[in-house]
Each structure stands twice: as C-alpha cells, then as structure tokens.
Amino acid sequence: MTPPPSQPSRRGVLAGAASLAGAGTVLSAAVPPARAAARERPARPVVFRDVRPFGAKHAVDLTVVDGRITDRRAPEGAEVIDGGGRIALPALVDAHIHPDKTTWGGSWESRKPASSIADYAAQDVELFQRQSRSVAERAHGLMAHAVTRGTRAMRAHADIAPAYGLTCVEGVAAARERLRHALDVQIVAFPQHGVIRTPGTAALLREAARSGTVDFIGGIDPIGFDQALDEQLDLVFDLADQYGISVDIHLHDRGEQGLTALRGIIDRTRALSLRGKVTVSHVFCLPGLSDAELASVAADLGELDIALTTVAPSRELVLPIARLKEHGVRVGLGSDGVRDAWSPFGKADMLHRAHLLGWVRDNRLDTELTGCYETGSHGGADVMQLDRADLSPGSPADFLLLRGECVPQIVVDMPARDMVVHGGRVVARDGELA
C-alpha cells in the first residue's frame, strides 16, 4: 500500500488496431503472450449490434465466437444484443489493488492519525479485528463492484502476516472463485508488516507459495521499512524461483535508497533468469531522475522485462510512463487501497483512475487523455500478461458499452457503464452484476 500523499495534486472490427475517433491516435495491437485466467465460455456466439468502437462515426456489429472478437459472418443462431449506438471500449485492468483491506459496503470507519507504514499497518490489524464481515465477503463486494465499472482483470494484493495467517489470501481467493466468470484475478502474497522485521512472516510466505493459491510473492521497501535489503530480496526471489511463481514488490523508498533496492531487484531478476516475472509497484525513486539516469535504469528494466505499476498518487510521484515505454517497459495503473484503514477514498473504478492520471499530470490534449485510458486498459493487460482487449479480430471480447462522443471526453466525464462484457458474456448492466 502507498501512504496517502500529504497534499494531493491538482461487424467485427476491421483487422489491425482500431482508430480512436476524435483522438488522432491508434491503440497498438497486443504484444505480450496471453496468460488469461480460466473463464467459462459463452454457450453460443453473440452479436453486439449497433456499437461504435472507440467512438467511430458509424456503428457496426461486434461478433463474438468462443469468447473472442471475429470478423467472420455471425453463425446461424447467434444471440443478438442491441448496443443502441453506444461506444465500445476495451475493458479496464486494475494492476494494483488491495481488496482484502476494504470496508466497502460497510458502515463508516473513522480513522486515526498515522505517519508511517508501521502506523498504517497497525491500524489495518485493528480494523481487521473489528470487522463483522469476513475478508471473503468484503473482497467480493469490492471486486464485484469493480466488474460493474468495467474492470476485466486485477492483480490483488492480500496481506500475509502473523496477525492474519493466510486468512486474507484465502478470502481473496474465495472472492476470485465466485467471480471467475466475470473477472481474471492474480493474487499477491503481500507482507505489509515486513518480511524480516515481523517474525513468522517468512514462514507464511513460504506456505502461501507452496499452497498454489497465489501467483506472486510480494515484498516491501527492503531498506526503508524492512531494513534488510539482501535478506528480504534473497528470500522473496528464492521463493519465486523455487515454486515457479512471480514477484511483485512495493517500493516507496525515494532517492538513492530506492535506487539501491531497485538495483537489487534488477540483479536478482538477471541472476535467476526471471525475465518477465517481476513487477515493482509505485517505484517512487524514478520520477525525480534526470533523463540520463532514467534512461539507464529503464534500459535494464526493459532488457529484463520488469514491469511497473503506478496509482498516480500525485504529480511528483506518478511514473514517467511515456519515457519508460520508450525502453519497452510495461507500465500499468491501479486503484491501490479502497476505503480502508489507510484512506477513506477510493472507488475501484479504473475509468476514474484514468481520469485521476490525467488530472495529476495536467493533461489537456486528446492524445494525452487517450493515453490515460490506454494505460488503464492495455497497460494493465501488459503488466498482467493478458491479451489486449483491443476489439480487433482474435482479441478477447472484454469491453464496455457506454454513451459518449470520443475517448478523451469519456476520460474526462466518466459516464455510466451501461453494459460490461467479459469473454463475450454480459456480466454487468446499469451498474449491477448481471
């Protein structure tokens, strides 16, 4: 989790990538290999009639067969769903969220002052202990809400600590199972209380890795918080290597302290041949670098295919996405915490998060605003190594239908998501699960 900033900143579709009406840019086609979670396929083909991909001037039909967009003629007997001239956009991906911590759907919680990660983590425990609803119930409520707002996939961080055991991981896993028809979920065993500074956490991380329930082993500020750079990183990377899973480490440390930790992550990724299996979240040490320093680090990240995530907390801390992408670095956008002990804010709505990304960067141009949407959709898909849902033939039929003019206007106005489609199935209508 990221401590809240003290001061907030201000027809199937034609083959190939689709043009963004009104934006003057093109969303690029899928590049990473697919790693979609198991999903139930629709029983029969579906035609979504009268829709406007990316706000195109003329409406077309989107035909779905076996959960994917096709440019072939709709098979006989296909179901027909009227899009009513709505815009079709790729569904969104939440690349960093903490659904186990949320109080979403419950009564208001008054929060106490906190000034450090340790303070927030202690309040996490207090909040956990006084909840009448289980982690599974609370996580499901939040994750289901995210689906209704157009989220197709998420990487969910679940706390691992002696205070919880594996309860948070098991609760998020139960919610994942209930929503597997509507949402692809990767789970990170996240040591919020530290890997080394909290005895017993290392054993729980090993148990989680061995269980097969989690997809990632997490870490947190090996220097600034855990004060055990080599010990933490060696443990986390050894578990990933031994159990064949991936790594996603929270790195809030800034300056040379953060860069030292990042170099340690880069070195271990190279030594263990974990290319494409490591993500670093937040990475507050990067935004302040000079162009030359950033280029040097980004070259290593790109070479090893180390992905990054940002939650756009402020202008000063949001990642320099465009410059990182020049080096082939995958960058996704996430919600972080939602109405938990850390903050009363959050919506688990990735269109809102794309809006915030534009807001903190003071974006004005159509190309910039369209880029915010792309980071919230294709950027997250790249981080999670899912096929991009770009509405081209062969792509996953994961999209949302809503009323609007063009992509930039939608990022600014955030209209209601009238229909959400996952694998060709309507999974939400008018803000409610279907």
Side-chain angles (χ1 to χ4, degrees), residues 337-369:
V338 179
R339 299 194 189 180
D340 51 25
W342 294 62
S343 173
F345 294 100
K347 292 177 176 288
D349 181 340
M350 286 303 298
L351 181 53
H352 179 251
R353 187 60 54 168
H355 172 101
L356 290 177
L357 176 61
W359 176 267
V360 302
R361 299 193 308 191
D362 194 25
N363 289 159
R364 299 175 54 254
L365 304 181
D366 282 1
T367 52
E368 294 172 331
L369 295 168

PDB file of all heavy atoms in Angstrom, residues 337-369:
ATOM      1  N   GLY A 337      -5.407   1.090  -2.352  1.00  0.00           N
ATOM      2  CA  GLY A 337      -6.402   0.783  -1.326  1.00  0.00           C
ATOM      3  C   GLY A 337      -7.711   1.501  -1.574  1.00  0.00           C
ATOM      4  O   GLY A 337      -7.741   2.587  -2.154  1.00  0.00           O
ATOM      5  N   VAL A 338      -8.801   0.876  -1.127  1.00  0.00           N
ATOM      6  CA  VAL A 338     -10.129   1.454  -1.323  1.00  0.00           C
ATOM      7  C   VAL A 338     -10.875   1.436   0.004  1.00  0.00           C
ATOM      8  O   VAL A 338     -11.215   0.383   0.529  1.00  0.00           O
ATOM      9  CB  VAL A 338     -10.927   0.664  -2.383  1.00  0.00           C
ATOM     10  CG1 VAL A 338     -12.314   1.263  -2.554  1.00  0.00           C
ATOM     11  CG2 VAL A 338     -10.191   0.624  -3.715  1.00  0.00           C
ATOM     12  N   ARG A 339     -11.078   2.617   0.572  1.00  0.00           N
ATOM     13  CA  ARG A 339     -11.847   2.766   1.816  1.00  0.00           C
ATOM     14  C   ARG A 339     -11.390   1.772   2.882  1.00  0.00           C
ATOM     15  O   ARG A 339     -12.166   0.944   3.371  1.00  0.00           O
ATOM     16  CB  ARG A 339     -13.345   2.626   1.531  1.00  0.00           C
ATOM     17  CG  ARG A 339     -13.816   3.695   0.564  1.00  0.00           C
ATOM     18  CD  ARG A 339     -15.316   3.821   0.488  1.00  0.00           C
ATOM     19  NE  ARG A 339     -15.664   4.713  -0.614  1.00  0.00           N
ATOM     20  CZ  ARG A 339     -16.905   5.037  -0.953  1.00  0.00           C
ATOM     21  NH1 ARG A 339     -17.911   4.532  -0.264  1.00  0.00           N
ATOM     22  NH2 ARG A 339     -17.132   5.846  -1.956  1.00  0.00           N
ATOM     23  N   ASP A 340     -10.137   1.908   3.243  1.00  0.00           N
ATOM     24  CA  ASP A 340      -9.562   1.014   4.244  1.00  0.00           C
ATOM     25  C   ASP A 340      -8.961   1.845   5.374  1.00  0.00           C
ATOM     26  O   ASP A 340      -9.272   3.027   5.515  1.00  0.00           O
ATOM     27  CB  ASP A 340      -8.517   0.096   3.587  1.00  0.00           C
ATOM     28  CG  ASP A 340      -7.484   0.865   2.770  1.00  0.00           C
ATOM     29  OD1 ASP A 340      -7.263   2.062   3.060  1.00  0.00           O
ATOM     30  OD2 ASP A 340      -6.898   0.275   1.851  1.00  0.00           O
ATOM     31  N   ALA A 341      -8.092   1.240   6.181  1.00  0.00           N
ATOM     32  CA  ALA A 341      -7.500   1.973   7.294  1.00  0.00           C
ATOM     33  C   ALA A 341      -6.561   3.068   6.818  1.00  0.00           C
ATOM     34  O   ALA A 341      -6.278   4.023   7.549  1.00  0.00           O
ATOM     35  CB  ALA A 341      -6.747   0.998   8.199  1.00  0.00           C
ATOM     36  N   TRP A 342      -6.085   2.955   5.586  1.00  0.00           N
ATOM     37  CA  TRP A 342      -5.133   3.924   5.060  1.00  0.00           C
ATOM     38  C   TRP A 342      -5.813   5.198   4.576  1.00  0.00           C
ATOM     39  O   TRP A 342      -5.256   6.281   4.684  1.00  0.00           O
ATOM     40  CB  TRP A 342      -4.346   3.294   3.905  1.00  0.00           C
ATOM     41  CG  TRP A 342      -3.467   2.160   4.323  1.00  0.00           C
ATOM     42  CD1 TRP A 342      -3.858   0.974   4.874  1.00  0.00           C
ATOM     43  CD2 TRP A 342      -2.045   2.102   4.235  1.00  0.00           C
ATOM     44  NE1 TRP A 342      -2.778   0.183   5.132  1.00  0.00           N
ATOM     45  CE2 TRP A 342      -1.645   0.843   4.745  1.00  0.00           C
ATOM     46  CE3 TRP A 342      -1.082   2.978   3.755  1.00  0.00           C
ATOM     47  CZ2 TRP A 342      -0.314   0.454   4.800  1.00  0.00           C
ATOM     48  CZ3 TRP A 342       0.250   2.587   3.802  1.00  0.00           C
ATOM     49  CH2 TRP A 342       0.620   1.342   4.335  1.00  0.00           C
ATOM     50  N   SER A 343      -6.992   5.059   4.017  1.00  0.00           N
ATOM     51  CA  SER A 343      -7.656   6.225   3.438  1.00  0.00           C
ATOM     52  C   SER A 343      -9.153   5.979   3.294  1.00  0.00           C
ATOM     53  O   SER A 343      -9.569   4.851   2.998  1.00  0.00           O
ATOM     54  CB  SER A 343      -7.067   6.525   2.051  1.00  0.00           C
ATOM     55  OG  SER A 343      -7.800   7.551   1.402  1.00  0.00           O
ATOM     56  N   PRO A 344      -9.980   7.017   3.471  1.00  0.00           N
ATOM     57  CA  PRO A 344     -11.411   6.867   3.230  1.00  0.00           C
ATOM     58  C   PRO A 344     -11.770   6.951   1.747  1.00  0.00           C
ATOM     59  O   PRO A 344     -12.917   6.728   1.378  1.00  0.00           O
ATOM     60  CB  PRO A 344     -12.010   8.051   3.985  1.00  0.00           C
ATOM     61  CG  PRO A 344     -10.943   9.102   3.927  1.00  0.00           C
ATOM     62  CD  PRO A 344      -9.638   8.354   4.005  1.00  0.00           C
ATOM     63  N   PHE A 345     -10.788   7.265   0.897  1.00  0.00           N
ATOM     64  CA  PHE A 345     -11.059   7.463  -0.525  1.00  0.00           C
ATOM     65  C   PHE A 345     -10.868   6.173  -1.317  1.00  0.00           C
ATOM     66  O   PHE A 345     -10.371   5.174  -0.812  1.00  0.00           O
ATOM     67  CB  PHE A 345     -10.165   8.571  -1.084  1.00  0.00           C
ATOM     68  CG  PHE A 345     -10.469   9.927  -0.507  1.00  0.00           C
ATOM     69  CD1 PHE A 345      -9.678  10.448   0.506  1.00  0.00           C
ATOM     70  CD2 PHE A 345     -11.550  10.658  -0.950  1.00  0.00           C
ATOM     71  CE1 PHE A 345      -9.959  11.691   1.055  1.00  0.00           C
ATOM     72  CE2 PHE A 345     -11.840  11.902  -0.409  1.00  0.00           C
ATOM     73  CZ  PHE A 345     -11.042  12.418   0.600  1.00  0.00           C
ATOM     74  N   GLY A 346     -11.256   6.221  -2.577  1.00  0.00           N
ATOM     75  CA  GLY A 346     -11.116   5.079  -3.471  1.00  0.00           C
ATOM     76  C   GLY A 346     -12.457   4.620  -3.980  1.00  0.00           C
ATOM     77  O   GLY A 346     -13.465   4.684  -3.274  1.00  0.00           O
ATOM     78  N   LYS A 347     -12.459   4.137  -5.259  1.00  0.00           N
ATOM     79  CA  LYS A 347     -13.701   3.726  -5.895  1.00  0.00           C
ATOM     80  C   LYS A 347     -13.622   2.358  -6.561  1.00  0.00           C
ATOM     81  O   LYS A 347     -14.644   1.818  -6.975  1.00  0.00           O
ATOM     82  CB  LYS A 347     -14.094   4.748  -6.981  1.00  0.00           C
ATOM     83  CG  LYS A 347     -14.503   6.114  -6.469  1.00  0.00           C
ATOM     84  CD  LYS A 347     -14.806   7.050  -7.629  1.00  0.00           C
ATOM     85  CE  LYS A 347     -15.319   8.399  -7.176  1.00  0.00           C
ATOM     86  NZ  LYS A 347     -16.687   8.332  -6.652  1.00  0.00           N
ATOM     87  N   ALA A 348     -12.422   1.805  -6.723  1.00  0.00           N
ATOM     88  CA  ALA A 348     -12.244   0.582  -7.508  1.00  0.00           C
ATOM     89  C   ALA A 348     -12.863   0.747  -8.891  1.00  0.00           C
ATOM     90  O   ALA A 348     -13.461  -0.170  -9.436  1.00  0.00           O
ATOM     91  CB  ALA A 348     -12.835  -0.632  -6.793  1.00  0.00           C
ATOM     92  N   ASP A 349     -12.719   1.919  -9.453  1.00  0.00           N
ATOM     93  CA  ASP A 349     -13.263   2.274 -10.765  1.00  0.00           C
ATOM     94  C   ASP A 349     -12.087   2.750 -11.605  1.00  0.00           C
ATOM     95  O   ASP A 349     -11.574   3.856 -11.409  1.00  0.00           O
ATOM     96  CB  ASP A 349     -14.308   3.380 -10.602  1.00  0.00           C
ATOM     97  CG  ASP A 349     -14.947   3.803 -11.922  1.00  0.00           C
ATOM     98  OD1 ASP A 349     -14.352   3.552 -12.984  1.00  0.00           O
ATOM     99  OD2 ASP A 349     -16.033   4.411 -11.875  1.00  0.00           O
ATOM    100  N   MET A 350     -11.652   1.923 -12.549  1.00  0.00           N
ATOM    101  CA  MET A 350     -10.446   2.243 -13.294  1.00  0.00           C
ATOM    102  C   MET A 350     -10.638   3.383 -14.303  1.00  0.00           C
ATOM    103  O   MET A 350      -9.670   4.004 -14.708  1.00  0.00           O
ATOM    104  CB  MET A 350      -9.898   0.999 -13.973  1.00  0.00           C
ATOM    105  CG  MET A 350      -9.234   0.029 -12.989  1.00  0.00           C
ATOM    106  SD  MET A 350      -7.894   0.812 -12.041  1.00  0.00           S
ATOM    107  CE  MET A 350      -6.765   1.247 -13.356  1.00  0.00           C
ATOM    108  N   LEU A 351     -11.861   3.663 -14.704  1.00  0.00           N
ATOM    109  CA  LEU A 351     -12.081   4.850 -15.521  1.00  0.00           C
ATOM    110  C   LEU A 351     -11.826   6.095 -14.680  1.00  0.00           C
ATOM    111  O   LEU A 351     -11.221   7.073 -15.142  1.00  0.00           O
ATOM    112  CB  LEU A 351     -13.496   4.861 -16.104  1.00  0.00           C
ATOM    113  CG  LEU A 351     -13.852   6.049 -17.000  1.00  0.00           C
ATOM    114  CD1 LEU A 351     -12.837   6.240 -18.127  1.00  0.00           C
ATOM    115  CD2 LEU A 351     -15.258   5.887 -17.569  1.00  0.00           C
ATOM    116  N   HIS A 352     -12.262   6.057 -13.438  1.00  0.00           N
ATOM    117  CA  HIS A 352     -11.973   7.160 -12.523  1.00  0.00           C
ATOM    118  C   HIS A 352     -10.470   7.288 -12.295  1.00  0.00           C
ATOM    119  O   HIS A 352      -9.923   8.402 -12.233  1.00  0.00           O
ATOM    120  CB  HIS A 352     -12.692   6.939 -11.190  1.00  0.00           C
ATOM    121  CG  HIS A 352     -12.431   8.009 -10.175  1.00  0.00           C
ATOM    122  ND1 HIS A 352     -11.656   7.793  -9.057  1.00  0.00           N
ATOM    123  CD2 HIS A 352     -12.837   9.305 -10.115  1.00  0.00           C
ATOM    124  CE1 HIS A 352     -11.594   8.909  -8.346  1.00  0.00           C
ATOM    125  NE2 HIS A 352     -12.294   9.836  -8.959  1.00  0.00           N
ATOM    126  N   ARG A 353      -9.767   6.163 -12.211  1.00  0.00           N
ATOM    127  CA  ARG A 353      -8.321   6.210 -12.002  1.00  0.00           C
ATOM    128  C   ARG A 353      -7.616   6.774 -13.236  1.00  0.00           C
ATOM    129  O   ARG A 353      -6.654   7.536 -13.118  1.00  0.00           O
ATOM    130  CB  ARG A 353      -7.797   4.825 -11.660  1.00  0.00           C
ATOM    131  CG  ARG A 353      -6.330   4.772 -11.261  1.00  0.00           C
ATOM    132  CD  ARG A 353      -5.985   5.592 -10.038  1.00  0.00           C
ATOM    133  NE  ARG A 353      -6.783   5.286  -8.875  1.00  0.00           N
ATOM    134  CZ  ARG A 353      -6.519   5.707  -7.640  1.00  0.00           C
ATOM    135  NH1 ARG A 353      -5.452   6.461  -7.416  1.00  0.00           N
ATOM    136  NH2 ARG A 353      -7.318   5.394  -6.630  1.00  0.00           N
ATOM    137  N   ALA A 354      -8.104   6.433 -14.430  1.00  0.00           N
ATOM    138  CA  ALA A 354      -7.546   7.020 -15.651  1.00  0.00           C
ATOM    139  C   ALA A 354      -7.777   8.527 -15.662  1.00  0.00           C
ATOM    140  O   ALA A 354      -6.917   9.310 -16.087  1.00  0.00           O
ATOM    141  CB  ALA A 354      -8.171   6.367 -16.883  1.00  0.00           C
ATOM    142  N   HIS A 355      -8.954   8.943 -15.189  1.00  0.00           N
ATOM    143  CA  HIS A 355      -9.276  10.367 -15.044  1.00  0.00           C
ATOM    144  C   HIS A 355      -8.278  11.033 -14.096  1.00  0.00           C
ATOM    145  O   HIS A 355      -7.746  12.115 -14.390  1.00  0.00           O
ATOM    146  CB  HIS A 355     -10.707  10.483 -14.517  1.00  0.00           C
ATOM    147  CG  HIS A 355     -11.141  11.860 -14.142  1.00  0.00           C
ATOM    148  ND1 HIS A 355     -11.927  12.646 -14.954  1.00  0.00           N
ATOM    149  CD2 HIS A 355     -10.920  12.601 -13.020  1.00  0.00           C
ATOM    150  CE1 HIS A 355     -12.180  13.797 -14.361  1.00  0.00           C
ATOM    151  NE2 HIS A 355     -11.575  13.797 -13.188  1.00  0.00           N
ATOM    152  N   LEU A 356      -7.995  10.393 -12.953  1.00  0.00           N
ATOM    153  CA  LEU A 356      -7.043  10.947 -11.987  1.00  0.00           C
ATOM    154  C   LEU A 356      -5.634  11.027 -12.572  1.00  0.00           C
ATOM    155  O   LEU A 356      -4.888  11.971 -12.287  1.00  0.00           O
ATOM    156  CB  LEU A 356      -7.032  10.109 -10.712  1.00  0.00           C
ATOM    157  CG  LEU A 356      -8.276  10.180  -9.832  1.00  0.00           C
ATOM    158  CD1 LEU A 356      -8.131   9.235  -8.644  1.00  0.00           C
ATOM    159  CD2 LEU A 356      -8.518  11.606  -9.349  1.00  0.00           C
ATOM    160  N   LEU A 357      -5.267  10.041 -13.375  1.00  0.00           N
ATOM    161  CA  LEU A 357      -3.957  10.071 -14.024  1.00  0.00           C
ATOM    162  C   LEU A 357      -3.832  11.317 -14.889  1.00  0.00           C
ATOM    163  O   LEU A 357      -2.807  12.022 -14.860  1.00  0.00           O
ATOM    164  CB  LEU A 357      -3.762   8.814 -14.865  1.00  0.00           C
ATOM    165  CG  LEU A 357      -2.473   8.723 -15.684  1.00  0.00           C
ATOM    166  CD1 LEU A 357      -1.239   8.750 -14.784  1.00  0.00           C
ATOM    167  CD2 LEU A 357      -2.482   7.460 -16.547  1.00  0.00           C
ATOM    168  N   GLY A 358      -4.868  11.606 -15.663  1.00  0.00           N
ATOM    169  CA  GLY A 358      -4.856  12.826 -16.465  1.00  0.00           C
ATOM    170  C   GLY A 358      -4.845  14.081 -15.609  1.00  0.00           C
ATOM    171  O   GLY A 358      -4.179  15.073 -15.940  1.00  0.00           O
ATOM    172  N   TRP A 359      -5.563  14.035 -14.502  1.00  0.00           N
ATOM    173  CA  TRP A 359      -5.670  15.199 -13.610  1.00  0.00           C
ATOM    174  C   TRP A 359      -4.313  15.544 -12.993  1.00  0.00           C
ATOM    175  O   TRP A 359      -3.870  16.699 -13.040  1.00  0.00           O
ATOM    176  CB  TRP A 359      -6.690  14.911 -12.517  1.00  0.00           C
ATOM    177  CG  TRP A 359      -6.823  15.986 -11.483  1.00  0.00           C
ATOM    178  CD1 TRP A 359      -6.163  16.070 -10.303  1.00  0.00           C
ATOM    179  CD2 TRP A 359      -7.662  17.144 -11.554  1.00  0.00           C
ATOM    180  NE1 TRP A 359      -6.538  17.197  -9.613  1.00  0.00           N
ATOM    181  CE2 TRP A 359      -7.460  17.875 -10.366  1.00  0.00           C
ATOM    182  CE3 TRP A 359      -8.564  17.617 -12.489  1.00  0.00           C
ATOM    183  CZ2 TRP A 359      -8.120  19.069 -10.093  1.00  0.00           C
ATOM    184  CZ3 TRP A 359      -9.229  18.811 -12.216  1.00  0.00           C
ATOM    185  CH2 TRP A 359      -9.006  19.518 -11.033  1.00  0.00           C
ATOM    186  N   VAL A 360      -3.622  14.537 -12.407  1.00  0.00           N
ATOM    187  CA  VAL A 360      -2.367  14.835 -11.721  1.00  0.00           C
ATOM    188  C   VAL A 360      -1.277  15.239 -12.713  1.00  0.00           C
ATOM    189  O   VAL A 360      -0.348  15.967 -12.363  1.00  0.00           O
ATOM    190  CB  VAL A 360      -1.891  13.669 -10.834  1.00  0.00           C
ATOM    191  CG1 VAL A 360      -2.934  13.309  -9.791  1.00  0.00           C
ATOM    192  CG2 VAL A 360      -1.496  12.450 -11.662  1.00  0.00           C
ATOM    193  N   ARG A 361      -1.386  14.793 -13.965  1.00  0.00           N
ATOM    194  CA  ARG A 361      -0.383  15.161 -14.975  1.00  0.00           C
ATOM    195  C   ARG A 361      -0.763  16.427 -15.744  1.00  0.00           C
ATOM    196  O   ARG A 361      -0.025  16.854 -16.626  1.00  0.00           O
ATOM    197  CB  ARG A 361      -0.187  14.007 -15.966  1.00  0.00           C
ATOM    198  CG  ARG A 361       0.316  12.731 -15.324  1.00  0.00           C
ATOM    199  CD  ARG A 361       0.789  11.713 -16.330  1.00  0.00           C
ATOM    200  NE  ARG A 361      -0.177  11.417 -17.402  1.00  0.00           N
ATOM    201  CZ  ARG A 361      -0.053  10.420 -18.254  1.00  0.00           C
ATOM    202  NH1 ARG A 361       0.991   9.598 -18.162  1.00  0.00           N
ATOM    203  NH2 ARG A 361      -0.960  10.208 -19.197  1.00  0.00           N
ATOM    204  N   ASP A 362      -1.909  17.013 -15.389  1.00  0.00           N
ATOM    205  CA  ASP A 362      -2.400  18.215 -16.068  1.00  0.00           C
ATOM    206  C   ASP A 362      -2.516  17.990 -17.573  1.00  0.00           C
ATOM    207  O   ASP A 362      -2.167  18.852 -18.386  1.00  0.00           O
ATOM    208  CB  ASP A 362      -1.475  19.406 -15.779  1.00  0.00           C
ATOM    209  CG  ASP A 362      -2.115  20.744 -16.158  1.00  0.00           C
ATOM    210  OD1 ASP A 362      -3.358  20.819 -16.182  1.00  0.00           O
ATOM    211  OD2 ASP A 362      -1.364  21.698 -16.435  1.00  0.00           O
ATOM    212  N   ASN A 363      -3.042  16.831 -17.961  1.00  0.00           N
ATOM    213  CA  ASN A 363      -3.220  16.522 -19.380  1.00  0.00           C
ATOM    214  C   ASN A 363      -4.352  17.347 -19.964  1.00  0.00           C
ATOM    215  O   ASN A 363      -5.399  17.517 -19.345  1.00  0.00           O
ATOM    216  CB  ASN A 363      -3.522  15.038 -19.563  1.00  0.00           C
ATOM    217  CG  ASN A 363      -2.335  14.144 -19.288  1.00  0.00           C
ATOM    218  OD1 ASN A 363      -2.489  12.963 -19.012  1.00  0.00           O
ATOM    219  ND2 ASN A 363      -1.122  14.673 -19.358  1.00  0.00           N
ATOM    220  N   ARG A 364      -4.151  17.830 -21.193  1.00  0.00           N
ATOM    221  CA  ARG A 364      -5.150  18.638 -21.882  1.00  0.00           C
ATOM    222  C   ARG A 364      -5.445  18.126 -23.282  1.00  0.00           C
ATOM    223  O   ARG A 364      -6.560  18.240 -23.776  1.00  0.00           O
ATOM    224  CB  ARG A 364      -4.678  20.093 -21.999  1.00  0.00           C
ATOM    225  CG  ARG A 364      -4.439  20.807 -20.691  1.00  0.00           C
ATOM    226  CD  ARG A 364      -3.844  22.206 -20.918  1.00  0.00           C
ATOM    227  NE  ARG A 364      -4.649  23.005 -21.833  1.00  0.00           N
ATOM    228  CZ  ARG A 364      -4.304  23.280 -23.081  1.00  0.00           C
ATOM    229  NH1 ARG A 364      -3.167  22.816 -23.583  1.00  0.00           N
ATOM    230  NH2 ARG A 364      -5.095  24.020 -23.844  1.00  0.00           N
ATOM    231  N   LEU A 365      -4.433  17.568 -23.930  1.00  0.00           N
ATOM    232  CA  LEU A 365      -4.569  17.173 -25.324  1.00  0.00           C
ATOM    233  C   LEU A 365      -5.304  15.847 -25.446  1.00  0.00           C
ATOM    234  O   LEU A 365      -5.225  14.979 -24.568  1.00  0.00           O
ATOM    235  CB  LEU A 365      -3.188  17.064 -25.969  1.00  0.00           C
ATOM    236  CG  LEU A 365      -2.303  18.309 -25.894  1.00  0.00           C
ATOM    237  CD1 LEU A 365      -0.979  18.052 -26.591  1.00  0.00           C
ATOM    238  CD2 LEU A 365      -3.010  19.530 -26.474  1.00  0.00           C
ATOM    239  N   ASP A 366      -6.012  15.694 -26.570  1.00  0.00           N
ATOM    240  CA  ASP A 366      -6.743  14.444 -26.800  1.00  0.00           C
ATOM    241  C   ASP A 366      -5.814  13.235 -26.753  1.00  0.00           C
ATOM    242  O   ASP A 366      -6.175  12.187 -26.205  1.00  0.00           O
ATOM    243  CB  ASP A 366      -7.444  14.492 -28.160  1.00  0.00           C
ATOM    244  CG  ASP A 366      -8.717  15.331 -28.138  1.00  0.00           C
ATOM    245  OD1 ASP A 366      -9.036  15.886 -27.061  1.00  0.00           O
ATOM    246  OD2 ASP A 366      -9.379  15.422 -29.184  1.00  0.00           O
ATOM    247  N   THR A 367      -4.630  13.384 -27.334  1.00  0.00           N
ATOM    248  CA  THR A 367      -3.696  12.256 -27.335  1.00  0.00           C
ATOM    249  C   THR A 367      -3.275  11.892 -25.913  1.00  0.00           C
ATOM    250  O   THR A 367      -3.111  10.710 -25.589  1.00  0.00           O
ATOM    251  CB  THR A 367      -2.449  12.582 -28.170  1.00  0.00           C
ATOM    252  OG1 THR A 367      -1.896  13.834 -27.739  1.00  0.00           O
ATOM    253  CG2 THR A 367      -2.791  12.659 -29.643  1.00  0.00           C
ATOM    254  N   GLU A 368      -3.116  12.899 -25.059  1.00  0.00           N
ATOM    255  CA  GLU A 368      -2.727  12.641 -23.670  1.00  0.00           C
ATOM    256  C   GLU A 368      -3.849  11.932 -22.921  1.00  0.00           C
ATOM    257  O   GLU A 368      -3.613  10.968 -22.166  1.00  0.00           O
ATOM    258  CB  GLU A 368      -2.387  13.956 -22.974  1.00  0.00           C
ATOM    259  CG  GLU A 368      -1.164  14.662 -23.521  1.00  0.00           C
ATOM    260  CD  GLU A 368      -0.977  16.051 -22.941  1.00  0.00           C
ATOM    261  OE1 GLU A 368      -1.996  16.690 -22.572  1.00  0.00           O
ATOM    262  OE2 GLU A 368       0.170  16.498 -22.858  1.00  0.00           O
ATOM    263  N   LEU A 369      -5.072  12.412 -23.085  1.00  0.00           N
ATOM    264  CA  LEU A 369      -6.204  11.810 -22.386  1.00  0.00           C
ATOM    265  C   LEU A 369      -6.470  10.397 -22.882  1.00  0.00           C
ATOM    266  O   LEU A 369      -6.802   9.496 -22.093  1.00  0.00           O
ATOM    267  CB  LEU A 369      -7.443  12.690 -22.569  1.00  0.00           C
ATOM    268  CG  LEU A 369      -7.337  14.085 -21.924  1.00  0.00           C
ATOM    269  CD1 LEU A 369      -8.468  14.986 -22.397  1.00  0.00           C
ATOM    270  CD2 LEU A 369      -7.339  13.969 -20.403  1.00  0.00           C
TER     271      LEU A 369
END
